[in-house]
Coordinates of all heavy atoms in Angstrom, one line a residue:
M872 N -41.9 27.3 10.8 CA -40.5 27.5 11.2 C -39.9 28.7 10.5 O -39.1 29.5 11.1 CB -39.7 26.3 11.1 CG -38.5 26.2 11.8 SD -37.8 24.5 11.8 CE -36.3 24.8 12.5
S873 N -40.2 28.8 9.2 CA -39.6 29.9 8.4 C -40.2 31.3 8.9 O -39.5 32.3 8.9 CB -39.9 29.8 6.9 OG -39.2 28.7 6.4
L874 N -41.4 31.2 9.3 CA -42.0 32.5 9.8 C -41.4 32.9 11.1 O -41.1 34.1 11.4 CB -43.5 32.2 10.1 CG -44.4 33.5 10.5 CD1 -44.2 34.6 9.5 CD2 -45.8 33.1 10.7
L875 N -41.0 31.9 12.0 CA -40.3 32.3 13.2 C -38.9 32.8 12.9 O -38.4 33.8 13.6 CB -40.1 31.0 14.1 CG -41.4 30.5 14.8 CD1 -41.1 29.2 15.5 CD2 -42.0 31.5 15.7
G876 N -38.3 32.3 11.9 CA -37.0 32.8 11.5 C -37.1 34.3 11.0 O -36.3 35.1 11.3
A877 N -38.2 34.5 10.2 CA -38.4 35.9 9.7 C -38.6 36.9 10.9 O -38.1 38.0 10.9 CB -39.6 35.9 8.8
I878 N -39.4 36.4 11.9 CA -39.6 37.3 13.1 C -38.3 37.5 13.8 O -38.0 38.6 14.3 CB -40.6 36.6 14.0 CG1 -42.0 36.6 13.3 CG2 -40.7 37.3 15.4 CD1 -43.1 35.8 14.0
G879 N -37.4 36.5 13.8 CA -36.1 36.7 14.4 C -35.3 37.7 13.7 O -34.6 38.5 14.3
I880 N -35.3 37.7 12.4 CA -34.6 38.7 11.6 C -35.1 40.1 11.9 O -34.4 41.0 12.1 CB -34.7 38.4 10.1 CG1 -33.9 37.1 9.8 CG2 -34.1 39.5 9.3 CD1 -34.1 36.6 8.4
I881 N -36.4 40.2 11.9 CA -37.0 41.5 12.1 C -36.7 42.1 13.5 O -36.3 43.2 13.7 CB -38.6 41.5 11.9 CG1 -38.8 41.2 10.4 CG2 -39.3 42.8 12.3 CD1 -40.3 40.8 10.1
V882 N -36.9 41.2 14.5 CA -36.6 41.7 15.9 C -35.1 42.0 16.1 O -34.7 42.9 16.8 CB -37.1 40.6 16.9 CG1 -36.6 40.9 18.3 CG2 -38.6 40.5 16.9
G883 N -34.3 41.2 15.4 CA -32.8 41.5 15.5 C -32.4 42.8 15.0 O -31.4 43.4 15.5
T884 N -33.2 43.4 14.1 CA -32.8 44.8 13.6 C -33.1 45.8 14.6 O -32.6 46.9 14.6 CB -33.6 45.1 12.3 OG1 -35.0 45.1 12.6 CG2 -33.3 44.1 11.2
L885 N -33.9 45.5 15.6 CA -34.3 46.5 16.6 C -33.5 46.4 17.9 O -33.6 47.2 18.8 CB -35.8 46.3 17.0 CG -36.8 46.3 15.8 CD1 -38.2 45.9 16.3 CD2 -36.8 47.7 15.2
L886 N -32.6 45.3 18.0 CA -31.8 45.1 19.2 C -30.4 45.6 18.9 O -30.0 45.7 17.8 CB -31.9 43.6 19.6 CG -33.2 43.1 20.0 CD1 -33.2 41.6 20.2 CD2 -33.8 43.8 21.2
P887 N -29.6 45.7 20.0 CA -28.2 46.2 19.8 C -27.3 45.2 18.9 O -27.4 44.0 19.1 CB -27.6 46.3 21.2 CG -28.8 46.3 22.1 CD -29.9 45.6 21.4
W888 N -26.5 45.8 18.0 CA -25.7 45.0 17.2 C -24.3 44.8 17.8 O -23.6 43.8 17.5 CB -25.6 45.6 15.8 CG -26.8 45.3 15.0 CD1 -28.1 44.9 15.4 CD2 -26.9 45.3 13.5 NE1 -28.9 44.7 14.3 CE2 -28.2 44.9 13.2 CE3 -26.0 45.6 12.5 CZ2 -28.7 44.9 11.9 CZ3 -26.4 45.5 11.2 CH2 -27.7 45.2 10.9
I889 N -23.8 45.8 18.5 CA -22.5 45.7 19.1 C -22.6 46.3 20.5 O -23.5 47.2 20.8 CB -21.4 46.4 18.3 CG1 -21.7 47.9 18.0 CG2 -21.0 45.7 17.1 CD1 -20.6 48.7 17.4
S890 N -21.8 45.9 21.4 CA -21.8 46.4 22.8 C -20.4 46.4 23.3 O -19.5 45.7 22.9 CB -22.7 45.5 23.7 OG -22.2 44.2 23.7
A891 N -20.2 47.4 24.2 CA -18.9 47.6 24.9 C -19.2 47.9 26.3 O -19.6 49.0 26.7 CB -18.1 48.6 24.2
G892 N -19.1 46.9 27.2 CA -19.5 47.1 28.6 C -21.0 47.4 28.7 O -21.8 46.6 28.3
F893 N -21.3 48.6 29.3 CA -22.7 48.9 29.5 C -23.2 49.7 28.3 O -24.4 50.1 28.4 CB -22.8 49.7 30.8 CG -22.1 51.0 30.8 CD1 -22.6 52.2 30.4 CD2 -20.8 51.0 31.3 CE1 -21.9 53.3 30.4 CE2 -20.0 52.2 31.3 CZ -20.6 53.4 30.9
M894 N -22.4 50.0 27.3 CA -22.9 50.8 26.2 C -23.2 49.8 25.0 O -22.5 48.8 24.9 CB -21.8 51.8 25.8 CG -21.6 52.8 26.8 SD -20.2 53.9 26.4 CE -20.8 54.6 24.9
S895 N -24.1 50.2 24.2 CA -24.4 49.4 23.0 C -24.9 50.3 21.9 O -25.2 51.4 22.1 CB -25.5 48.4 23.3 OG -26.7 49.0 23.7
Y896 N -24.8 49.7 20.7 CA -25.2 50.4 19.5 C -26.2 49.6 18.7 O -26.0 48.5 18.3 CB -24.0 50.7 18.6 CG -24.3 51.3 17.2 CD1 -24.8 52.6 17.1 CD2 -24.2 50.5 16.1 CE1 -25.1 53.1 15.9 CE2 -24.6 51.0 14.9 CZ -25.0 52.3 14.8 OH -25.4 52.9 13.5
T897 N -27.3 50.3 18.5 CA -28.4 49.7 17.6 C -28.5 50.6 16.4 O -28.7 51.8 16.5 CB -29.7 49.7 18.3 OG1 -29.6 49.0 19.5 CG2 -30.8 49.1 17.4
P898 N -28.2 50.1 15.2 CA -28.3 51.0 14.0 C -29.7 51.5 13.8 O -30.7 50.8 14.1 CB -27.8 50.1 12.8 CG -28.1 48.7 13.3 CD -28.0 48.7 14.8
P899 N -29.8 52.7 13.2 CA -31.2 53.2 12.8 C -31.9 52.2 11.9 O -31.2 51.6 11.1 CB -30.9 54.5 12.1 CG -29.5 54.9 12.5 CD -28.8 53.6 12.8
L900 N -33.2 52.1 12.1 CA -33.9 51.0 11.4 C -33.8 51.2 9.9 O -33.7 50.2 9.1 CB -35.4 51.1 11.8 CG -36.3 50.0 11.2 CD1 -35.7 48.6 11.5 CD2 -37.7 50.1 11.6
F901 N -33.8 52.4 9.4 CA -33.7 52.6 7.9 C -32.3 53.0 7.5 O -32.2 53.7 6.4 CB -34.8 53.6 7.5 CG -36.2 53.0 7.7 CD1 -37.0 53.5 8.8 CD2 -36.6 51.9 7.0 CE1 -38.2 52.9 9.0 CE2 -37.9 51.4 7.2 CZ -38.7 51.9 8.2
S902 N -31.3 52.6 8.2 CA -29.9 52.7 7.7 C -29.8 51.6 6.6 O -30.6 50.7 6.5 CB -28.9 52.5 8.8 OG -28.9 51.2 9.2
S903 N -28.7 51.6 5.9 CA -28.5 50.7 4.8 C -28.5 49.2 5.3 O -29.1 48.3 4.8 CB -27.3 51.0 4.0 OG -26.1 50.9 4.9
D904 N -27.7 49.0 6.5 CA -27.6 47.6 7.0 C -28.9 47.1 7.6 O -29.4 46.1 7.3 CB -26.4 47.5 7.9 CG -25.1 47.9 7.2 OD1 -25.0 47.7 6.0 OD2 -24.2 48.3 8.0
A905 N -29.3 47.8 8.6 CA -30.5 47.4 9.4 C -31.8 47.4 8.5 O -32.6 46.5 8.6 CB -30.7 48.3 10.6
G906 N -31.9 48.3 7.6 CA -33.0 48.4 6.7 C -33.0 47.2 5.8 O -34.1 46.7 5.5
L907 N -31.8 46.8 5.3 CA -31.8 45.6 4.4 C -32.3 44.3 5.2 O -33.0 43.6 4.6 CB -30.3 45.4 4.0 CG -30.1 44.2 3.1 CD1 -30.8 44.3 1.7 CD2 -28.6 44.0 2.9
F908 N -31.8 44.2 6.4 CA -32.3 43.0 7.2 C -33.8 43.1 7.5 O -34.5 42.1 7.5 CB -31.5 42.9 8.5 CG -30.2 42.3 8.4 CD1 -29.0 43.1 8.4 CD2 -30.1 40.9 8.2 CE1 -27.8 42.5 8.2 CE2 -28.8 40.3 8.1 CZ -27.7 41.1 8.1
F909 N -34.3 44.3 7.8 CA -35.7 44.5 8.1 C -36.5 44.1 6.8 O -37.5 43.3 6.9 CB -36.0 45.9 8.5 CG -37.4 46.1 8.9 CD1 -37.8 45.8 10.2 CD2 -38.3 46.7 8.0 CE1 -39.1 46.0 10.6 CE2 -39.6 46.9 8.4 CZ -40.0 46.6 9.7
V910 N -36.2 44.6 5.7 CA -36.9 44.3 4.4 C -36.8 42.8 4.1 O -37.8 42.2 3.7 CB -36.4 45.2 3.3 CG1 -36.9 44.7 1.9 CG2 -36.7 46.6 3.5
L911 N -35.6 42.2 4.3 CA -35.5 40.8 4.1 C -36.4 40.0 5.0 O -37.0 39.0 4.6 CB -34.0 40.4 4.3 CG -33.7 38.9 4.0 CD1 -33.8 38.6 2.6 CD2 -32.3 38.6 4.5
G912 N -36.4 40.4 6.3 CA -37.3 39.7 7.2 C -38.8 39.8 6.9 O -39.5 38.8 7.0
V913 N -39.2 41.0 6.4 CA -40.6 41.1 6.0 C -40.9 40.3 4.8 O -41.9 39.6 4.7 CB -40.9 42.6 5.7 CG1 -42.2 42.8 5.1 CG2 -40.8 43.4 7.0
I914 N -40.0 40.2 3.8 CA -40.2 39.4 2.6 C -40.3 37.9 3.0 O -41.1 37.2 2.5 CB -39.1 39.7 1.6 CG1 -39.2 41.1 1.0 CG2 -39.1 38.6 0.5 CD1 -38.0 41.5 0.2
V915 N -39.4 37.5 3.9 CA -39.4 36.1 4.3 C -40.7 35.8 5.0 O -41.3 34.7 4.8 CB -38.2 35.7 5.2 CG1 -38.4 34.3 5.8 CG2 -36.9 35.8 4.4
A916 N -41.2 36.7 5.8 CA -42.5 36.5 6.5 C -43.6 36.4 5.6 O -44.5 35.6 5.7 CB -42.7 37.7 7.5
V917 N -43.7 37.3 4.6 CA -44.7 37.3 3.6 C -44.7 36.0 2.8 O -45.7 35.3 2.6 CB -44.7 38.5 2.7 CG1 -45.6 38.4 1.5 CG2 -45.0 39.8 3.4
V918 N -43.5 35.6 2.3 CA -43.4 34.3 1.6 C -43.8 33.1 2.4 O -44.5 32.2 2.0 CB -41.9 34.2 1.0 CG1 -41.7 32.8 0.5 CG2 -41.7 35.2 0.0
A919 N -43.4 33.1 3.7 CA -43.7 32.0 4.6 C -45.2 32.0 4.8 O -45.8 30.9 4.9 CB -43.0 32.1 5.9
L920 N -45.9 33.1 5.0 CA -47.3 33.2 5.2 C -48.1 32.7 4.0 O -49.0 31.9 4.1 CB -47.8 34.6 5.6 CG -47.6 34.9 7.1 CD1 -47.9 36.4 7.3 CD2 -48.4 34.1 8.0
V921 N -47.7 33.1 2.8 CA -48.3 32.7 1.6 C -48.1 31.2 1.4 O -49.0 30.5 1.0 CB -47.8 33.5 0.4 CG1 -48.2 32.9 -1.0 CG2 -48.2 34.9 0.4
W922 N -46.9 30.7 1.7 CA -46.7 29.3 1.6 C -47.5 28.5 2.6 O -48.1 27.5 2.2 CB -45.2 29.0 1.9 CG -44.8 27.6 2.0 CD1 -45.2 26.6 1.3 CD2 -43.8 27.1 2.9 NE1 -44.6 25.4 1.6 CE2 -43.7 25.7 2.6 CE3 -42.9 27.6 3.8 CZ2 -42.8 24.9 3.3 CZ3 -42.0 26.8 4.5 CH2 -42.0 25.4 4.2
L923 N -47.7 29.0 3.8 CA -48.5 28.3 4.8 C -50.0 28.3 4.5 O -50.7 27.3 4.6 CB -48.3 28.9 6.2 CG -47.0 28.6 6.9 CD1 -46.8 29.4 8.1 CD2 -46.9 27.1 7.2
L924 N -50.5 29.5 4.0 CA -51.9 29.6 3.8 C -52.3 29.1 2.4 O -53.4 28.6 2.3 CB -52.3 31.1 3.9 CG -52.1 31.7 5.3 CD1 -52.4 33.2 5.3 CD2 -52.9 31.0 6.3
G925 N -51.4 29.2 1.4 CA -51.8 28.8 0.1 C -51.3 27.4 -0.3 O -51.6 26.9 -1.3
N926 N -50.4 26.8 0.6 CA -49.8 25.5 0.3 C -49.1 25.5 -1.0 O -49.2 24.5 -1.8 CB -50.9 24.4 0.4 CG -50.3 23.1 0.7 OD1 -49.2 23.0 1.0 ND2 -51.1 22.0 0.5
A927 N -48.4 26.6 -1.4 CA -47.6 26.6 -2.6 C -46.2 26.1 -2.3 O -45.4 26.7 -1.6 CB -47.5 28.0 -3.1
G928 N -45.9 24.9 -2.7 CA -44.7 24.2 -2.4 C -43.4 24.8 -2.9 O -42.4 24.7 -2.3
G929 N -43.5 25.5 -4.0 CA -42.4 26.1 -4.6 C -41.8 27.3 -3.8 O -40.7 27.7 -3.9
L930 N -42.7 27.9 -3.0 CA -42.2 29.0 -2.1 C -41.3 28.6 -1.0 O -40.6 29.4 -0.5 CB -43.4 29.7 -1.6 CG -44.3 30.5 -2.6 CD1 -45.4 31.2 -1.9 CD2 -43.4 31.5 -3.3
R931 N -41.3 27.3 -0.7 CA -40.4 26.8 0.4 C -39.0 27.0 0.0 O -38.1 27.3 0.8 CB -40.7 25.4 0.8 CG -40.4 24.4 -0.3 CD -40.7 23.0 0.1 NE -39.6 22.2 -0.2 CZ -39.2 21.1 0.5 NH1 -40.0 20.7 1.5 NH2 -38.2 20.4 0.2
W932 N -38.6 26.8 -1.3 CA -37.2 27.0 -1.7 C -36.9 28.5 -1.7 O -35.7 28.8 -1.5 CB -37.0 26.4 -3.1 CG -37.2 24.9 -3.0 CD1 -38.2 24.2 -3.5 CD2 -36.4 24.0 -2.2 NE1 -38.1 22.9 -3.2 CE2 -37.0 22.7 -2.4 CE3 -35.3 24.1 -1.4 CZ2 -36.5 21.6 -1.8 CZ3 -34.8 23.0 -0.8 CH2 -35.4 21.7 -1.0
L933 N -37.8 29.4 -1.9 CA -37.6 30.8 -1.8 C -37.3 31.1 -0.3 O -36.4 32.0 0.0 CB -38.8 31.6 -2.3 CG -38.6 33.1 -2.4 CD1 -37.4 33.5 -3.2 CD2 -39.8 33.7 -2.9
C934 N -38.0 30.5 0.6 CA -37.6 30.7 2.1 C -36.2 30.2 2.4 O -35.5 30.8 3.1 CB -38.6 29.9 2.9 SG -40.2 30.7 3.1
V935 N -35.8 29.1 1.8 CA -34.5 28.6 2.0 C -33.5 29.6 1.4 O -32.5 29.9 2.1 CB -34.3 27.2 1.3 CG1 -32.8 26.8 1.3 CG2 -35.2 26.2 1.9
A936 N -33.7 30.1 0.2 CA -32.7 31.0 -0.4 C -32.6 32.3 0.4 O -31.5 32.8 0.6 CB -33.1 31.2 -1.8
L937 N -33.8 32.9 0.8 CA -33.8 34.1 1.5 C -33.2 33.9 2.9 O -32.5 34.8 3.4 CB -35.2 34.7 1.6 CG -35.7 35.2 0.2 CD1 -37.2 35.6 0.4 CD2 -34.9 36.3 -0.3
G938 N -33.5 32.8 3.5 CA -32.9 32.6 4.8 C -31.4 32.4 4.8 O -30.6 33.0 5.6
L939 N -30.9 31.7 3.8 CA -29.4 31.6 3.6 C -28.8 33.0 3.3 O -27.7 33.3 3.7 CB -29.1 30.6 2.5 CG -29.4 29.2 2.8 CD1 -29.1 28.3 1.6 CD2 -28.5 28.7 4.0
L940 N -29.5 33.8 2.5 CA -29.0 35.2 2.2 C -28.9 36.0 3.5 O -27.9 36.7 3.7 CB -30.0 35.9 1.2 CG -29.6 37.3 0.9 CD1 -28.3 37.4 0.2 CD2 -30.7 37.9 0.0
G941 N -29.9 35.9 4.4 CA -29.9 36.6 5.6 C -28.8 36.1 6.5 O -28.1 36.9 7.2
L942 N -28.5 34.8 6.6 CA -27.4 34.2 7.3 C -26.1 34.7 6.8 O -25.2 35.1 7.6 CB -27.5 32.7 7.3 CG -26.4 32.0 8.0 CD1 -26.3 32.3 9.5 CD2 -26.5 30.5 7.8
A943 N -25.9 34.7 5.5 CA -24.7 35.1 4.9 C -24.4 36.6 5.2 O -23.3 37.0 5.5 CB -24.7 34.9 3.4
L944 N -25.5 37.4 5.0 CA -25.3 38.9 5.3 C -25.0 39.1 6.8 O -24.2 40.0 7.1 CB -26.6 39.6 4.9 CG -26.8 39.8 3.4 CD1 -28.2 40.4 3.2 CD2 -25.8 40.6 2.7
A945 N -25.6 38.4 7.6 CA -25.3 38.6 9.1 C -23.9 38.2 9.4 O -23.2 38.9 10.2 CB -26.3 37.8 9.9
I946 N -23.4 37.1 8.8 CA -22.0 36.7 9.0 C -21.1 37.7 8.5 O -20.1 38.0 9.1 CB -21.8 35.3 8.4 CG1 -22.5 34.2 9.2 CG2 -20.3 34.9 8.4 CD1 -22.5 32.8 8.6
F947 N -21.4 38.2 7.3 CA -20.6 39.3 6.7 C -20.5 40.5 7.7 O -19.4 41.1 7.9 CB -21.1 39.7 5.4 CG -20.4 40.9 4.8 CD1 -19.2 40.7 4.2 CD2 -21.0 42.1 4.8 CE1 -18.5 41.9 3.6 CE2 -20.4 43.2 4.3 CZ -19.1 43.1 3.7
E948 N -21.6 40.9 8.2 CA -21.7 42.1 9.1 C -20.9 41.8 10.4 O -20.2 42.6 10.9 CB -23.1 42.4 9.5 CG -23.8 43.2 8.4 CD -23.2 44.5 8.1 OE1 -22.8 45.2 9.0 OE2 -23.1 44.9 6.9
M949 N -21.0 40.5 10.9 CA -20.3 40.2 12.1 C -18.7 40.3 11.9 O -18.0 40.8 12.7 CB -20.6 38.7 12.5 CG -22.0 38.6 13.1 SD -22.2 36.8 13.5 CE -23.9 36.8 13.9
V950 N -18.3 39.7 10.8 CA -16.9 39.8 10.4 C -16.4 41.3 10.2 O -15.4 41.7 10.7 CB -16.6 39.0 9.2 CG1 -15.1 39.2 8.7 CG2 -16.8 37.5 9.5
R951 N -17.2 42.0 9.5 CA -16.9 43.4 9.3 C -16.8 44.2 10.6 O -15.9 45.0 10.8 CB -17.9 44.1 8.3 CG -17.6 45.5 7.9 CD -18.6 46.0 7.0 NE -19.9 46.2 7.6 CZ -20.2 47.3 8.3 NH1 -19.3 48.3 8.4 NH2 -21.4 47.5 8.9
L952 N -17.8 44.0 11.5 CA -17.8 44.8 12.7 C -16.7 44.4 13.7 O -16.1 45.2 14.3 CB -19.2 44.7 13.4 CG -20.3 45.4 12.7 CD1 -21.6 45.1 13.4 CD2 -20.1 46.9 12.7
T953 N -16.5 43.1 13.8 CA -15.4 42.6 14.7 C -14.0 42.9 14.2 O -13.1 43.1 15.0 CB -15.6 41.1 15.0 OG1 -15.5 40.4 13.8 CG2 -16.9 40.9 15.8
S954 N -13.8 43.0 12.9 CA -12.5 43.3 12.4 C -12.1 44.8 12.5 O -10.9 45.1 12.5 CB -12.4 42.8 11.0 OG -13.2 43.5 10.1
T955 N -13.1 45.6 12.5 CA -12.8 47.1 12.6 C -13.0 47.7 13.9 O -12.6 48.8 14.2 CB -13.7 47.8 11.6 OG1 -15.1 47.6 11.9 CG2 -13.5 47.4 10.2
A956 N -13.6 46.9 14.9 CA -13.8 47.4 16.2 C -12.7 47.1 17.1 O -12.0 46.1 16.9 CB -15.1 46.8 16.7
P957 N -12.5 47.9 18.2 CA -11.5 47.6 19.2 C -11.8 46.3 19.9 O -12.9 45.8 19.8 CB -11.5 48.7 20.2 CG -12.3 49.8 19.5 CD -13.1 49.2 18.4
E958 N -10.8 45.7 20.6 CA -11.0 44.4 21.3 C -12.1 44.4 22.3 O -12.7 43.4 22.6 CB -9.7 43.9 21.9 CG -8.7 43.5 20.8 CD -7.4 43.0 21.4 OE1 -7.5 42.5 22.6 OE2 -6.4 43.0 20.8
M959 N -12.4 45.5 23.0 CA -13.3 45.6 24.0 C -14.8 45.6 23.5 O -15.7 45.4 24.3 CB -13.1 46.8 24.9 CG -13.3 48.1 24.2 SD -13.0 49.4 25.4 CE -13.5 50.8 24.5
V960 N -15.0 45.7 22.2 CA -16.3 45.7 21.6 C -16.7 44.2 21.3 O -15.9 43.5 20.7 CB -16.3 46.6 20.4 CG1 -17.7 46.5 19.7 CG2 -16.0 48.0 20.8
S961 N -17.9 43.8 21.6 CA -18.4 42.5 21.3 C -19.7 42.6 20.5 O -20.3 43.6 20.4 CB -18.6 41.7 22.5 OG -19.6 42.3 23.3
L962 N -20.0 41.5 19.9 CA -21.3 41.5 19.1 C -22.5 41.5 20.0 O -22.5 40.9 21.1 CB -21.4 40.2 18.3 CG -20.4 40.0 17.1 CD1 -20.5 38.7 16.5 CD2 -20.7 41.1 16.1
G963 N -23.5 42.3 19.6 CA -24.7 42.4 20.4 C -25.7 41.3 20.0 O -25.5 40.6 19.0
V964 N -26.7 41.2 20.7 CA -27.7 40.2 20.5 C -28.5 40.3 19.2 O -29.0 39.4 18.6 CB -28.6 40.1 21.8 CG1 -29.5 41.3 21.9 CG2 -29.5 38.8 21.7
G965 N -28.6 41.6 18.7 CA -29.4 41.8 17.5 C -28.9 41.2 16.3 O -29.6 40.5 15.5
L966 N -27.6 41.3 16.1 CA -27.0 40.8 14.9 C -26.9 39.3 15.0 O -27.1 38.6 14.0 CB -25.6 41.3 14.7 CG -24.9 41.2 13.4 CD1 -25.8 41.6 12.2 CD2 -23.6 41.9 13.3
I967 N -26.7 38.7 16.2 CA -26.7 37.3 16.3 C -28.1 36.7 16.1 O -28.3 35.7 15.4 CB -26.2 36.9 17.7 CG1 -24.7 37.3 17.9 CG2 -26.4 35.4 18.0 CD1 -24.2 37.2 19.3
L968 N -29.1 37.4 16.5 CA -30.5 37.0 16.3 C -30.8 37.1 14.8 O -31.6 36.2 14.3 CB -31.5 37.9 17.1 CG -32.9 37.5 17.0 CD1 -33.1 36.0 17.6 CD2 -33.8 38.4 17.9
C969 N -30.3 38.0 14.1 CA -30.5 38.1 12.6 C -29.9 36.8 11.9 O -30.5 36.2 11.1 CB -29.9 39.3 12.0 SG -30.8 40.9 12.3
A970 N -28.7 36.4 12.4 CA -28.1 35.3 11.8 C -28.9 34.0 12.1 O -29.1 33.2 11.3 CB -26.6 35.1 12.3
V971 N -29.3 33.9 13.4 CA -30.0 32.7 13.8 C -31.4 32.7 13.1 O -31.8 31.6 12.6 CB -30.2 32.7 15.3 CG1 -31.2 31.6 15.7 CG2 -28.9 32.5 16.0
G972 N -32.0 33.8 12.9 CA -33.3 33.9 12.2 C -33.2 33.5 10.8 O -34.0 32.8 10.2
G973 N -32.1 33.9 10.1 CA -31.8 33.5 8.7 C -31.6 32.0 8.6 O -32.2 31.3 7.7
A974 N -30.9 31.4 9.6 CA -30.7 29.9 9.6 C -32.0 29.2 9.8 O -32.3 28.2 9.2 CB -29.6 29.6 10.6
V975 N -32.8 29.7 10.8 CA -34.1 29.0 11.1 C -35.0 29.1 9.9 O -35.7 28.1 9.6 CB -34.7 29.6 12.3 CG1 -36.1 29.2 12.5 CG2 -33.9 29.3 13.6
A976 N -35.0 30.3 9.2 CA -35.9 30.4 8.0 C -35.5 29.4 6.9 O -36.3 28.8 6.3 CB -35.9 31.8 7.5
A977 N -34.2 29.3 6.7 CA -33.7 28.3 5.7 C -34.0 26.9 6.1 O -34.5 26.1 5.2 CB -32.2 28.5 5.5
V978 N -33.8 26.5 7.3 CA -34.1 25.2 7.7 C -35.6 24.9 7.7 O -36.0 23.8 7.2 CB -33.5 24.9 9.1 CG1 -34.0 23.6 9.7 CG2 -32.0 24.9 9.1
G979 N -36.4 25.9 8.0 CA -37.8 25.7 8.0 C -38.3 25.4 6.6 O -39.2 24.6 6.3
G980 N -37.7 26.1 5.6 CA -38.1 25.9 4.2 C -37.6 24.5 3.7 O -38.3 23.9 2.9
A981 N -36.4 24.1 4.2 CA -35.9 22.9 3.7 C -36.6 21.6 4.3 O -36.7 20.6 3.5 CB -34.4 22.8 4.1
I982 N -37.1 21.7 5.5 CA -37.7 20.5 6.1 C -39.2 20.5 5.9 O -39.9 19.5 6.3 CB -37.4 20.4 7.6 CG1 -37.9 21.5 8.4 CG2 -35.9 20.2 7.8 CD1 -37.8 21.3 9.9
R983 N -39.8 21.5 5.3 CA -41.2 21.6 5.1 C -41.8 22.0 6.3 O -42.8 21.8 6.8 CB -41.8 20.3 4.5 CG -41.7 20.2 3.1 CD -42.5 19.0 2.6 NE -42.3 18.9 1.2 CZ -43.4 18.7 0.4 NH1 -44.6 18.6 0.8 NH2 -43.2 18.7 -0.9

């Protein structure tokens, strides 16, 4: 489940973060915000794979912590973007997927 959350975070960096009607904005992959989410997603994926293949129980808490970090950063970005954008601008699917991916990664680590 943590691996699925990591994939959600990674894919979310490639999808639009904000949209206004038929226009949308996807940040460049190696910008500060999208790059941070991409690297976080890759780290969660590696930790989840090592945990699954090596059966290292201590890594599950690292998945929880990194997932919660991803969720918190996504919520921060959502608040930041919606507070500075005009009313006609809405959140895109990419940033929402990053938040959901972080939550799924955290829950996956918590439930084993």
Side-chain angles (χ1 to χ4, degrees):
M872 195 167 170
S873 293
L874 186 58
L875 290 176
I878 292 169
I880 294 171
I881 293 169
V882 171
T884 62
L885 306 173
L886 298 174
W888 281 21
I889 55 173
S890 60
F893 62 90
M894 297 175 58
S895 63
Y896 171 71
T897 303
L900 183 59
F901 294 106
S902 70
S903 61
D904 297 337
L907 179 66
F908 280 103
F909 185 80
V910 170
L911 181 67
V913 169
I914 291 171
V915 172
V917 169
V918 169
L920 280 173
V921 170
W922 173 36
L923 286 173
L924 298 176
N926 202 13
L930 291 179
R931 67 184 229 146
W932 297 111
L933 187 56
C934 285
V935 171
L937 292 174
L939 290 175
L940 176 64
L942 176 62
L944 288 174
I946 291 171
F947 173 78
E948 284 296 318
M949 288 177 186
V950 170
R951 186 180 68 86
L952 288 174
T953 56
S954 66
T955 59
E958 288 184 23
M959 63 183 190
V960 175
S961 63
L962 289 175
V964 68
L966 196 51
I967 294 169
L968 187 58
C969 287
V971 170
V975 169
V978 168
I982 65 171
R983 276 188 180 228

